[in-house]
DNA sequence: ATTTTAGTTGCAATCGTTTGCGTTTTCGTT
DNA sequence: AACGAAAACGCAAACGATTGCAACTAAAAT
């Protein structure tokens, strides 16, 4: 079995020195003769010595591990964020322990508990759709635990937030649609308790008014699930109703946009000539579907990387959390594909 | 700061009892008076006591943490596997520490090192494309560390492998194409050092011969990257060449299949009437594109869940690794969509 | 009154590593 | 030969929890 992992004591015994000496020799501390250092290192290599990180954590009350709490892993955007987190954490010598909440408030809380038990050095959090109050996070902050929120960020004191410019992204997308001549633009919106949904709605509104179009509240339709199936159904309903037909859809996410696209095709409408569509997130499939789906790209990898950098800087006291007063906002980029560009004739 | 996390000692001091008593009281050990238990538990609750998992790990030489080594997180299939791993690990009280290798052999090795340092209880591994020799895994197995491989599995002694029935999946897909009347079927194959690629090629071959079609080696085209861009380019080349035009594509993965689809559309070919296409993995976008992409569904979630169950059973000695002699193979399912069903007229 | 016995609790070692401080050894100097 | 200083190393406590064993108390049995 996996017994026999050599420890400092083993080396010490074999060499007839104390553990202290071995420890210091391995770390090249002053006050140890070169001869001893050589012998210790040699034996360590021979025995394939590996420091016990657990013992170290206990001693130092630091685990060199950060905890990531995320709604779901199976989600293109979040997976890119994780990738960014992983890269930075790894390169700076930290481990990443991951839990997904599946959008459940209870799991969010219990994840925090187990992570605390595991003496996590800090948290990286994107909260669940179910979460309505943020006391569990506020408590952590009050106790001095470093937390950096990303994407889905709470409005609570002392929180450090990394997000993308949802407002600008939405604003750009809708402005683009207007410039293409679309006038009756539906917004397939996200759950209204998420700040990101609100920001995108705000961007939608402002783009319309800034271009002299009055906002028709009935054109803002909530798609709480954000799946293609849901929005396909909703869109089909809309197209069937006897009100004036919309001529464009701006989705809170790409899935919603695709659902709308499919519903429009079902209804025999031509995209982009009859209906223009823009999504949000720029999932991989945007470039794979026909017509290509215009979308607002969110820099997921950078977001994960940035959030992790800030977190680790705080943990390592290179950064004082008090000094960070405003959120970090990463730019979005509107990628224009065929779904929203009217073909001239 | 985050000082002041209460320990057993704190409770002991406050109550004028020993740490042993507190420890036992909290765990409802016999030999502690009800009175003491009550007082201890009360104070523990009041102080918001949380056992220090690190200290426990050190004592027990067990961390209740499993390490997951995966090529990349940003990959639909792998993310579903992670999700399955997370679910099972979580429900059984284990943490998951995650690293991605980005398909690099070196990172695979260093990941193993840090995980060993962190005293993880077992490994869940899908190895990288770069990995050619498996000594680093064999060594671990020899030392008695529990490892369960999934999806990309090595052919080494004592390895426990969980995989999907790649052979059957490919066989079914190609048989389906043949039954639809497609005759000249190209296989956009994966890297040949991966067993999964080989199995899919074998399925492709057998399906052809079983249906009386001779295998034309030139129709097996390797797409090492497995991206849509790559296969689009390769497919375009094929269609341009002056050999007989193929009438179907079977992709080693969905990206490759989509690339072929786009190339065919570029070339003005009708899908499915001129060309049939089937992919592998059943990524989310398969149902979102037009025409819907037929694909072989791999049960990623189940794979992650199953692999984790086996690993934890071994860790908890409910299962003897010696007894597992053959790989666990999960069934695939061919999902037929429009891309491979010829429209009758 | 003495011994049992059951019921409670404490001592101390342990897991592997680090580190302040004290001790020993070595060597140069006078 | 004797002293001092520098160099090299060891002791022991600490991190937080667990646990075999011993110890203590009080009530019951003899």
């Amino acid at each position: 079995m996996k017994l026999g992992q050599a420890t400092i004591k083993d080396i010490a015994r074999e060499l007839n020195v104390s553990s202290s000496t071995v420890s210091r020799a391995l770390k090249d501390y002053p006050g140890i003769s070169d001869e001893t250092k050589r012998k210790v290192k040699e034996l360590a290599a021979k025995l394939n010595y590996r420091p016990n990180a657990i013992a170290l954590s206990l001693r130092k009350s630091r685990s060199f591990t950060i905890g990531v709490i995320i709604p779901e892993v199976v989600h293109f955007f979040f997976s890119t964020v994780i990738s960014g987190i992983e890269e930075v954490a790894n390169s700076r010598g930290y481990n990443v322990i991951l839990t997904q909440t599946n959008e459940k408030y209870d799991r969010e809380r219990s994840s925090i508990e187990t992570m605390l038990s595991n003496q996590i050095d800090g948290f990286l959090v994107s909260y669940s759709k179910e979460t309505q109050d943020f006391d569990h996070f506020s408590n952590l902050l009050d106790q001095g635990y470093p937390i950096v929120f990303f994407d889905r960020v709470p409005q609570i004191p002392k929180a450090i937030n990394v997000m993308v410019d949802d407002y600008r992204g939405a604003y750009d997308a809708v402005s683009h649609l207007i410039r293409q001549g679309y006038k009756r633009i539906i917004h397939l919106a996200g759950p209204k308790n998420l700040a990101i949904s609100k920001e995108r709605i705000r961007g939608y509104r402002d783009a319309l008014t800034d271009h002299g179009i009055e906002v028709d509240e009935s054109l803002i339709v909530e798609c709480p699930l954000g799946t293609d199936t849901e929005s396909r159904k909703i869109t089909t309903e809309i197209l069937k109703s006897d009100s004036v037909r919309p001529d464009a859809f701006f989705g809170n996410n790409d899935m919603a946009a695709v659902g709308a696209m499919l519903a429009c095709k079902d209804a025999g409408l031509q995209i982009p000539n009859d209906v223009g569509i823009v999504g949000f997130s720029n999932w991989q499939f945007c470039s794979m579907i026909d017509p290509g789906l215009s979308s607002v790209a969110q820099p997921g990898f950078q977001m994960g990387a940035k959030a992790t950098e800030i977190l680790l800087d705080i943990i390592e006291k290179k950064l004082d959390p008090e000094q960070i007063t405003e959120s970090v906002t990463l730019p979005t980029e509107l990628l224009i594909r065929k779904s929203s560009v009217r073909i001239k004739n």
Side-chain angles (χ1 to χ4, degrees), chain A:
Chain A
M1 292 308 281
K2 64 181 168 180
L3 309 169
Q5 175 56 286
T7 73
I8 280 196
K9 287 185 189 173
D10 296 328
I11 301 179
R13 199 177 317 113
E14 187 110 353
L15 256 37
N16 273 320
V17 295
S18 73
S19 315
S20 345
T21 304
V22 176
S23 171
R24 288 191 261 249
L26 288 171
K27 304 229 134 141
D28 270 331
Y29 266 47
I32 303 292
S33 71
D34 291 347
E35 173 65 4
T36 310
K37 282 188 189 171
R38 194 188 51 73
K39 281 201 288 190
V40 167
K41 287 182 183 170
E42 231 173 67
L43 186 57
K46 187 177 151 212
L47 296 182
N48 195 20
Y49 167 77
R50 231 188 316 267
N52 184 323
I54 296 283
L56 233 168
S57 298
L58 184 58
R59 184 83 227 282
K60 306 253 180 176
S61 308
R62 303 247 290 101
S63 61
F64 282 94
T65 300
I66 59 175
V68 177
I69 298 179
I70 222 167
E72 26 174 2
V73 181
V74 189
H75 192 293
F76 178 70
F77 175 68
F78 282 131
S79 70
T80 59
V81 178
I82 295 177
S83 185
I85 293 173
E86 234 291 314
E87 281 301 308
V88 173
N90 204 60
S91 75
R92 288 178 63 166
Y94 283 76
N95 293 114
V96 173
I97 115 169
L98 178 80
T99 63
Q100 57 181 339
T101 59
N102 286 323
E103 307 283 8
K104 297 270 178 281
Y105 172 73
D106 287 341
R107 291 191 61 165
E108 197 166 280
R109 297 200 58 142
S110 66
S111 289
I112 293 178
E113 283 301 314
T114 50
M115 288 187 174
L116 285 177
S117 265
N118 283 278
Q119 313 297 113
I120 287 267
D121 293 343
F123 292 89
L124 246 26
V125 176
S126 195
Y127 66 82
S128 86
K129 283 185 187 171
E130 260 187 34
T131 303
Q132 304 276 358
D133 80 289
F134 302 101
D135 292 352
H136 49 317
F137 295 129
S138 299
N139 288 338
L140 287 178
L141 286 168
D142 289 342
Q143 288 171 57
Y145 285 99
I147 312 181
V148 174
F149 295 92
F150 59 90
D151 195 48
R152 307 216 194 135
V153 304
Q155 295 308 317
I156 53 176
K158 296 206 281 181
I160 296 172
N161 298 336
V162 177
M163 44 208 244
V164 298
D165 199 339
D166 292 290
Y167 171 78
R168 180 102 238 141
Y171 188 94
D172 289 348
V174 176
S175 300
H176 158 67
L177 283 170
I178 296 171
R179 277 195 300 273
Q180 287 292 320
Y182 300 105
K183 291 198 163 51
R184 205 171 153 74
I185 304 170
I186 294 241
H187 178 34
L188 300 164
K192 299 207 172 140
N193 65 318
L194 295 186
I196 52 175
S197 310
K198 283 191 245 172
E199 282 297 284
R200 292 176 196 175
I201 292 173
R202 198 164 65 84
Y204 165 82
R205 282 208 154 86
D206 285 5
L208 290 179
T209 43
D210 284 1
H211 289 82
I213 302 181
E214 203 180 338
V215 178
D216 177 347
E217 294 297 331
S218 72
L219 297 188
I220 303 178
V221 187
E222 190 168 341
C223 297
L225 299 176
T227 64
D228 57 323
T229 324
E230 179 193 51
S231 88
R232 186 172 190 167
K233 214 168 118 190
I234 289 175
T235 305
T236 305
E237 291 298 321
I238 293 173
L239 294 178
K240 260 197 229 158
S241 72
D242 37 32
S243 61
V244 190
R245 180 174 71 71
D247 60 0
F249 289 86
F250 167 52
N252 175 70
N253 69 38
D254 287 330
M255 311 276 276
V258 164
M261 182 184 283
L262 294 173
C264 289
K265 284 189 181 178
D266 292 344
L269 296 169
Q270 292 292 323
I271 298 167
N273 275 10
D274 296 336
V275 178
I277 301 182
V278 179
F280 209 111
S281 277
N282 192 36
W283 285 34
Q284 286 171 313
F285 65 75
C286 288
S287 58
M288 300 182 189
I289 62 180
D290 188 31
L293 178 63
S294 298
S295 189
V296 179
Q298 298 170 282
F301 186 92
Q302 285 91 318
M303 176 178 255
K306 185 71 189 171
T308 310
E309 273 164 14
I310 295 177
L311 181 69
L312 297 186
D313 282 351
I314 294 176
I315 290 173
E316 296 171 355
K317 315 242 182 262
K318 292 182 191 163
L319 207 60
D320 179 6
E322 305 290 331
Q323 293 200 328
I324 306 178
T325 52
E326 48 186 59
S327 305
V328 177
T329 303
L330 302 174
T332 54
E333 187 189 0
L334 174 63
L335 297 181
I336 298 173
R337 297 198 180 87
K338 291 186 181 168
S339 71
S340 63
V341 179
R342 279 206 160 124
I343 299 159
K344 305 273 191 307
N345 47 0

